[in-house]
Amino acid sequence: MQSLTNKRILLGITGGIAAYKSADLTRRLREAGADVRVVMTRAATEFITPLTLQALSGHEVRLDIFDPHAEAAMGHIELARWADAVLIAPTSADFMARLAHGRADDLLSTLCLATAAPLALAPAMNRQMWLNQATQANKNILEQRGIRLFGPGEGSQACGEIGPGRMLEPVDIVPLVAALFEVGLLSGLRVLVSAGPTREALDPVRYISNRSSGKMGYALAEAAAEAGAQVTLVSGPVALATPGRVARVDVTSAKEMHEAVLARAPQHDIFISAAAVADYHAAESAPRKMKKTQGKLALALLRNPDILEDVAALPQAPFTVGFAAETENLELNAQAKRAAKKLDMIAANWVNQPGLGFDSDENELKLFWEGGGRLLPRASKARLARELIAIIAEKYHAKHTTQNS
Ligand code: C5P
């Protein structure tokens, strides 16, 4: 487990049902070695009592800016200076809005303005509130100011809806807090990621595509950015939000993805090809909607260029990582692909097992590189992405140390 030994974490709690998770979060932050002090908004106290947080943090919980007793012990400016990092979990839509506008009308918002420490938010709210343009605009403002957003996750919500807006689980937040103190594993490096499916037009309304959701590639782009890399994400059509601090380039067809990736690859240190690129395109895309025919319709298809192979063959090729989605002979096929495409690493996964691979939130990866490999057991794509990025960073640095020595 990543350590937070001697790190002083100011945990802000705002009003939302996810506040019940803040008790567990406090406990886990302390288990990781942090000294935790809790500040709650008035609304947060409607969901969880300050006494619970006091017992778990071992310190009196602060609620008001106008509290002479608390201010005598540690004034709000002192508290803002005390923190090595400020984490607000859960962060409500209202608090994001107040933060985006620099309000200082309660203790927590004042502390956020007064601190020089890194600030991280774990948003939690109803999915419509999260997707609302106002909240999305506030999110962009906050991220542009260097404020980190952890999540939100997707799934069932306390309000009975399903979608984005769940607070990340405490077990997933703690390593992200620890990462705030790490010099990024990929800092100073440029990482190019391809993600999602491609669409190959048959006529103006129809296309051939596949079941890729883009989730793995997006999680990798996010994890690479968290590790300090400058990330470019070339994305096929997906229904996912762009991760913070990631530059996204949208493409539709394999040909467009090929052009976008090949134009950028030489300026990148690492290329991760997580896209499910269509292998074929229609020999002729009809200019008008095709009419039904009786009986059989034969489509002539032509091979698409292999983007990954072309990147790996560049004279100054970046460190290249491919994916292999397999339904049989996983290891054999993946090894053969790695060799044929001359890749530094390949990540193989099953796509015919329930709950894994395409369009699911979890995956299991088997990694292969020259002379070795590693199994990354079943986990959320977000967690797997962080593990994979750590291994890619290690192998990238090992390769470059050998080359330079
Ligand atoms: O050979 P296969 O399609 O299984 O290889 C999968 C890997 O190759 C993935 O990393 C995928 O992104 C990449 N690929 C590509 N261009 C293609 C087909 C696959 O970059 N036309």
Side-chain angles (χ1 to χ4, degrees), residues 93 96 125 129-140:
M96 282 177 67
M125 64 198 73
M129 292 174 77
W130 172 253
L131 295 173
N132 186 288
Q133 279 185 21
T135 308
Q136 290 299 307
N138 290 333
K139 165 187 172 280
N140 293 339

Side-chain angles (χ1 to χ4, degrees), residues 41-269:
T41 62
R42 278 285 156 199
T45 64
E46 301 286 338
F47 293 90
I48 185 167
T49 73
L51 201 59
T52 305
L53 279 311
Q54 177 176 317
L56 291 169
S57 67
H59 295 287
E60 200 173 326
V61 171
R62 298 283 305 265
L63 303 168
D64 288 315
I65 196 158
F66 305 115
D67 178 345
H69 158 72
E71 284 289 304
M74 197 192 272
H76 63 279
I77 298 294
E78 248 175 300
L79 193 56
R81 285 195 194 124
W82 169 88
D84 292 321
V86 178
L87 167 67
I88 303 179
T91 307
S92 63
D94 175 62
F95 198 79
M96 282 177 67
R98 286 162 57 205
L99 210 53
H101 290 274
R103 300 291 294 264
D105 47 8
D106 66 1
L107 178 60
L108 190 56
S109 54
T110 306
L111 287 170
C112 290
L113 283 190
T115 190
L119 186 53
L121 315 177
M125 64 198 73
N126 161 273
R127 70 179 187 94
Q128 290 293 3
M129 292 174 77
W130 172 253
L131 295 173
N132 186 288
Q133 279 185 21
T135 308
Q136 290 299 307
N138 290 333
K139 165 187 172 280
N140 293 339
I141 290 173
L142 296 170
E143 281 183 335
Q144 275 158 20
R145 290 187 196 144
I147 294 174
R148 306 290 302 272
L149 267 82
F150 299 161
E154 293 219 14
S156 62
Q157 300 200 295
C159 53
E161 295 188 20
I162 296 178
R166 276 169 65 95
M167 185 169 108
L168 292 189
E169 296 305 320
V171 67
D172 292 319
I173 293 178
V174 174
L176 296 175
V177 177
L180 292 174
F181 298 100
E182 281 168 11
V183 179
L185 292 169
L186 294 176
S187 73
L189 296 179
R190 290 150 306 175
V191 175
L192 180 64
V193 180
S194 72
T198 63
R199 280 182 191 169
E200 311 303 320
L202 299 178
D203 68 17
V205 293
R206 303 185 181 93
Y207 55 79
I208 305 176
S209 191
N210 57 63
R211 289 174 48 213
S212 167
S213 63
K215 285 179 186 165
M216 193 69 227
Y218 274 59
L220 283 162
E222 183 162 22
E226 270 169 26
Q230 199 181 313
V231 183
T232 309
L233 174 62
V234 175
S235 175
V238 297
L240 297 172
T242 313
R245 296 173 300 127
V246 167
R248 171 167 161 183
V249 180
D250 284 317
V251 295
T252 304
S253 65
K255 184 168 172 283
E256 283 173 22
M257 187 174 274
H258 186 269
E259 281 166 15
V261 168
L262 268 290
R264 289 166 179 82
Q267 298 97 48
H268 286 79
D269 303 291

Side-chain angles (χ1 to χ4, degrees), residues 194 254 271-279 303-309 321-326 337 341 343 346:
S194 72
F271 172 51
I272 307 175
S273 183
V277 186
D279 288 321
R303 274 294 293 267
N304 280 328
D306 193 303
I307 304 169
L308 180 58
E309 199 171 324
V321 182
F323 271 76
E326 302 295 342
K337 271 178 203 172
K341 301 193 190 194
L343 309 178
I346 196 154

